[in-house]
Amino acid sequence: MDDLRDKYLTLINDAGDEAALEELRVQAVGKKGEISLQMRSLGKMSPEERQVAGPALNALKDEINAALAAKKSALADAALDARLATEWLDVTLPARPQRQGSIHPISQVTEEVSAIFADMGFAVAEGPQIDTDWYVFDALNIPSHHPARAEMDTFYMSRAEGDDRAPHILRTHTSPVQIRSMEKQGAPIRIIAPGRVYRADYDQTHTPMFHQVEGLCIGKDVSMANLKWCLEEFVKAFFEVDHVELRFRASHFPFTEPSAEVDIQCSWENGVLKVGEGDDWMEILGSGMVHPKVLENAGVDPKEYQGFAFGIGIDRLAMLKYGIPDLRAFFDSDLRWLKHYGFTPLDVPTLHGGLSK
Ligand code: 2U9
């Protein structure tokens, strides 16, 4: 029995993995294992022999089971140590850089303007950026000989050779959207049309693509007084002031009659713009009562309906509100200058230099 004990204790000690250990368990204490077979032979022994051999075999079985369990746990510990030695993590490494994005000032201003006019019942309308000369010019009372066509520095698309139809053009204003909206929905109508427009012009205050928001309000008795109230409410909300004087200067646009350019009361001190105080005036938009011919061109009866329209440059609004000096900054932009002007992912810039979270 001592031989058996030494043999199995040595084999268990030398076992290299759990599979070898399991084989040894079957071989020693399994149903048909060596020790089990010996236990079965107890029946053939004399009572005296059995009294000695029985407890000794039971003790041997217990000892071998204990050795198997101890070795199993030692093997598991060794396996874990080996994994820990190879699989490690350097917690001192710098964290992976987080991708950061930021709302673009143009998008932010577009959203602000849309929200302000939405409060006054204006829906947002959209339309194609490439359009026909009917929608961009003729329908808006700008016939082909009209100097406004030349003034607008239009981008013309090219036609295939031999195709003599008038070329499509990049819209020079968002006005075609209002024509299409009136055609579709008729009057009364109250919409704003924000979007990209294109003119062949490039300097500190002009880029070939820029953004406008135009408004249109048509009803049976919509007047210039309604226009003035809407614009006043807009300027106060956009520039976050309680009071502002507006100045309407007579002007001329082919699509409105009468027409007016609108200035807002402001002060400039050390390059800081303050709206709603001071003695300066700054032009911010054009407006007027929609020309009867334009209503007619869009299928609305000018004897029954009338209303106002206005146009604002979004890029300029963004420059004024957020103090951005050069329009071209919008286009060679990256996160560094957005941050410079306060457009960080979590901060929302406010007027007069403050940042609100
Ligand atoms: C329809 C009828 C009339 C839109 C108008 C202006 C005056 C205007 C400029 C402002 C700054 C263009 O971006 S800008 O350079 N716009 O002065 N826009 S009235 O009048 C319309 C539009 C659509 C059917």
Side-chain angles (χ1 to χ4, degrees):
M1 209 181 289
D2 278 348
D3 286 354
L4 211 55
R5 181 177 175 278
D6 291 348
K7 173 185 152 187
Y8 277 111
L9 290 183
T10 310
L11 285 172
I12 288 168
N13 191 46
D14 295 347
D17 54 35
E18 270 197 54
L21 209 58
E22 176 60 11
E23 229 170 84
L24 283 171
R25 190 192 64 76
V26 173
Q27 217 178 305
V29 293
K31 254 189 196 167
K32 291 180 186 163
E34 259 188 289
I35 292 164
S36 310
L37 289 179
Q38 290 221 3
M39 282 179 139
R40 255 180 249 167
S41 68
L42 285 174
K44 292 176 198 149
M45 291 181 189
S46 66
E48 293 76 23
E49 281 175 324
R50 200 182 305 136
Q51 233 171 7
V52 180
L57 273 175
N58 270 330
L60 177 60
K61 191 181 173 187
D62 288 348
E63 192 177 357
I64 287 183
N65 273 330
L68 283 166
K71 183 67 183 182
K72 191 174 176 179
S73 128
L75 283 173
D77 285 352
L80 182 62
D81 285 347
R83 265 188 65 195
L84 288 174
T86 53
E87 295 174 18
W88 57 280
L89 192 68
D90 185 352
V91 293
T92 66
L93 282 176
R96 283 190 198 94
Q98 294 240 323
R99 279 177 178 274
Q100 282 194 341
S102 164
I103 189 161
H104 194 279
I106 298 291
S107 309
Q108 170 146 335
V109 167
T110 306
E111 282 172 25
E112 288 173 22
V113 172
S114 305
I116 295 167
F117 280 106
D119 279 349
M120 294 188 267
F122 287 76
V124 172
E126 283 178 323
Q129 295 178 35
I130 300 171
D131 217 326
T132 60
D133 56 359
W134 166 258
Y135 280 106
V136 178
F137 294 127
D138 300 84
L140 285 143
N141 198 30
I142 312 172
S144 42
H145 61 268
H146 200 285
R149 279 213 194 191
E151 274 162 33
M152 283 204 191
D153 302 310
T154 313
F155 284 113
Y156 290 86
M157 314 290 288
S158 45
R159 285 265 187 216
E161 240 181 62
D163 187 340
D164 295 330
R165 287 174 302 168
H168 277 105
I169 54 188
L170 294 181
R171 68 182 184 190
T172 53
H173 43 197
T174 61
S175 317
V177 176
Q178 288 98 292
I179 298 289
R180 287 174 194 280
S181 299
M182 283 192 280
E183 277 178 349
K184 240 191 257 159
Q185 130 177 19
I189 189 170
R190 210 185 302 175
I191 51 170
I192 56 163
R196 292 181 172 175
V197 299
Y198 303 85
R199 293 183 196 176
D201 210 350
Y202 189 59
D203 60 33
Q204 206 183 343
T205 52
H206 297 91
T207 50
M209 187 280 286
F210 62 106
H211 305 79
Q212 278 188 345
V213 57
E214 289 192 346
L216 177 75
C217 176
I218 305 292
K220 294 223 161 155
D221 50 14
V222 175
S223 72
M224 206 125 181
N226 301 134
L227 167 69
K228 186 165 186 279
W229 181 84
C230 278
L231 293 180
E232 255 170 30
E233 289 305 303
F234 164 69
V235 171
K236 284 193 288 184
F238 182 76
F239 289 103
E240 298 171 23
V241 292
D242 292 332
H243 175 84
V244 64
E245 290 291 325
L246 258 56
R247 186 171 75 173
F248 281 64
R249 271 182 297 104
S251 183
H252 174 266
F253 306 112
F255 28 81
T256 46
E257 182 60 38
S259 305
E261 280 168 304
V262 178
D263 304 334
I264 53 173
Q265 171 203 14
C266 66
S267 74
W268 278 103
E269 266 167 49
N270 306 319
V272 177
L273 168 71
K274 294 208 174 132
V275 172
E277 56 183 77
D279 312 320
D280 283 345
W281 294 100
M282 185 177 50
E283 183 191 325
I284 60 152
L285 58 91
S287 64
M289 296 301 287
V290 178
H291 197 291
K293 269 196 191 157
V294 174
L295 291 175
E296 209 170 276
N297 288 338
V300 171
D301 182 357
K303 288 191 199 79
E304 206 181 339
Y305 288 101
Q306 60 177 33
F308 64 78
F310 57 86
I312 315 174
I314 291 180
D315 312 67
R316 201 168 115 77
L317 276 187
M319 292 168 79
L320 292 173
K321 183 161 177 176
Y322 297 113
I324 298 163
D326 187 334
L327 192 60
R328 288 170 292 194
F330 287 136
F331 301 99
D332 40 51
S333 57
D334 65 22
L335 208 58
R336 279 166 301 176
W337 79 259
L338 282 173
K339 281 192 175 141
H340 176 76
Y341 290 112
F343 284 81
T344 57
L346 294 174
D347 296 329
V348 180
T350 59
L351 193 59
H352 306 314
L355 281 177
S356 70
K357 291 253 182 200

